[in-house]
Amino acid sequence: MLVFKTKKELTEHVSALPKTNRLALVPTMGALHKGHVSLVEQAIAENETVVVSIFVNPTQFNNKEDLEKYPQTLQADLDLLSATSENIIIFAPSAEEVYDKNVKAKTYDFEGLDQVMEGAFREDHFNGVGTIVEALLLLVKPDRAYFGEKDFQQLQIIRKLVEQQQIPVEIIGCPIVREPSGLAMSSRNERLSPELRQKASFIYSTLLAAKEKFGTKSAGYVVDWVKKEFDQHEDLELEYIEITDVNTLRPITIKNENLKYRAFIAVYAGGVRLIDNIAL
Ligand code: PAF
């Protein structure tokens, strides 16, 4: 496994690879878990060369404390990745290497995709994500880049980004990986007490029930039902539940058989913010 810390080392290595190699990028912020490993495994299965970036991107944190609290576990991440495959390339730069002296996000117009849900609660978050993802795509020039559907809004925004910036890459969305209880895998789960971690499985069981109800009931009915379920829960506090069109991410008005919908949820469990979503 090769580990590069500078853009120069990485690009020199990648540009010397055979041009016929399909090149994949898996961008991460480290603190890796089985969800990330599944992205890396899919990338390995579908491409000859895989670059995994590990970089806690400061410009996507609107809260300094959140950034400081973000787990930095480089050695454990490298161990996990080398157990997955010896044949991957790691790019683990410093903030100065990526941003030079200008640690600042660009401003994008994602046509409203960034104004709802996560964007409404985390100001400028998606400008920061766009800035780093664009920088990594332009640096590595992969044929494919892999992102988890757990951050489905992020995935759709990245699709919009590559379309707007005309970056020739295929964006691949990969299914959410869950703990045995159903809780979506996240590095934040480590911050939950064992009891709360078990109780947080309520998020997914409620999404599953919402999916079933959506078969026969309106979106408004299902949203109100989910809100009531969380009102009655002692340990979990609902931040939002939305049912939206998968492409526009706008809340559904009238159900249309030809459109695809998804339910999105954000919940606080003992001060830890968890998100999840489900195809309906
Ligand atoms: O999903 C993440 O871990 C991050 O938002 C990403 C895509 C690696 C950009 O920093």
Side-chain angles (χ1 to χ4, degrees):
M1 196 171 75
L2 290 165
V3 182
F4 297 121
K5 301 242 170 193
T6 66
K7 296 188 261 193
K8 187 166 176 286
E9 287 169 312
L10 176 73
T11 48
E12 273 175 10
H13 179 83
V14 167
S15 56
L17 292 167
K19 293 283 165 273
T20 48
N21 273 21
R22 283 164 302 181
L23 175 61
L25 172 66
V26 184
T28 81
M29 295 210 299
L32 303 181
H33 50 69
K34 284 187 191 153
H36 297 107
V37 170
S38 77
L39 300 181
V40 175
E41 283 174 344
Q42 187 171 336
I44 291 171
E46 294 173 354
N47 304 275
E48 282 74 31
T49 307
V50 175
V51 175
V52 178
S53 63
I54 299 179
F55 177 60
V56 181
N57 172 36
T59 64
Q60 70 188 73
F61 289 83
N62 51 336
N63 177 331
K64 205 167 161 246
E65 205 184 308
D66 221 19
L67 171 61
E68 276 158 13
K69 272 204 295 201
Y70 199 87
Q72 304 251 15
T73 56
L74 184 60
Q75 194 48 53
D77 293 341
L78 296 180
D79 292 346
L80 184 63
L81 289 171
S82 69
T84 307
S85 163
E86 263 310 311
N87 200 17
I88 40 186
I89 300 164
I90 315 295
F91 180 48
S94 64
E96 297 74 59
E97 178 66 16
V98 172
Y99 284 101
D100 205 359
K101 295 218 156 37
N102 191 23
V103 186
K104 226 175 148 235
K106 286 173 68 174
T107 304
Y108 297 91
D109 175 3
F110 292 124
E111 300 170 17
L113 293 177
D114 56 334
Q115 303 300 312
V116 293
M117 300 186 288
E118 292 306 287
F121 287 93
R122 302 174 71 188
E123 209 193 328
D124 262 348
H125 169 68
F126 287 117
N127 279 326
V129 171
T131 304
I132 187 63
V133 172
E134 184 180 3
L136 289 169
L137 291 175
L138 295 179
L139 182 75
V140 179
K141 298 191 178 59
D143 300 293
R144 301 190 178 115
Y146 291 76
F147 298 88
E149 286 186 344
K150 168 151 174 293
D151 296 298
F152 193 87
Q153 184 176 9
Q154 166 173 283
L155 174 65
Q156 297 302 63
I157 287 173
I158 290 166
R159 290 201 164 111
K160 178 64 71 187
L161 170 85
V162 302
E163 176 196 313
Q164 289 177 336
Q165 307 299 321
Q166 298 182 14
I167 303 173
V169 59
E170 190 184 345
I171 300 298
I172 314 266
C174 306
I176 299 174
V177 180
R178 298 184 179 278
E179 298 191 354
S181 71
L183 179 65
M185 294 260 179
S186 162
S187 34
R188 291 173 186 233
N189 296 356
E190 300 302 323
R191 287 163 49 198
L192 299 168
S193 66
E195 198 195 359
L196 217 44
R197 192 159 175 163
Q198 193 55 41
K199 285 185 175 166
S201 63
F202 183 77
I203 300 169
Y204 183 52
S205 57
T206 308
L207 284 180
L208 282 175
K211 179 182 170 88
E212 200 185 318
K213 288 189 189 301
F214 189 70
T216 53
K217 306 275 191 213
S218 72
Y221 175 94
V222 177
V223 163
D224 287 344
W225 177 81
V226 171
K227 284 181 182 164
K228 282 193 203 115
E229 289 296 293
F230 278 91
D231 280 348
Q232 286 163 27
H233 201 291
E234 283 183 1
D235 304 286
L236 303 177
E237 193 192 324
L238 181 69
E239 186 173 58
Y240 65 74
I241 168 79
E242 301 266 7
I243 295 183
T244 82
D245 176 298
V246 291
N247 293 316
T248 64
L249 300 183
R250 294 214 181 94
I252 172 172
T253 40
I254 298 166
K255 247 193 238 179
N256 177 335
E257 298 245 313
N258 301 317
L259 296 179
K260 288 197 177 133
Y261 300 106
R262 229 167 162 104
F264 296 86
I265 196 164
V267 171
Y268 277 96
V272 180
R273 190 169 181 278
L274 303 169
I275 60 168
D276 202 346
N277 66 81
I278 194 167
L280 296 174

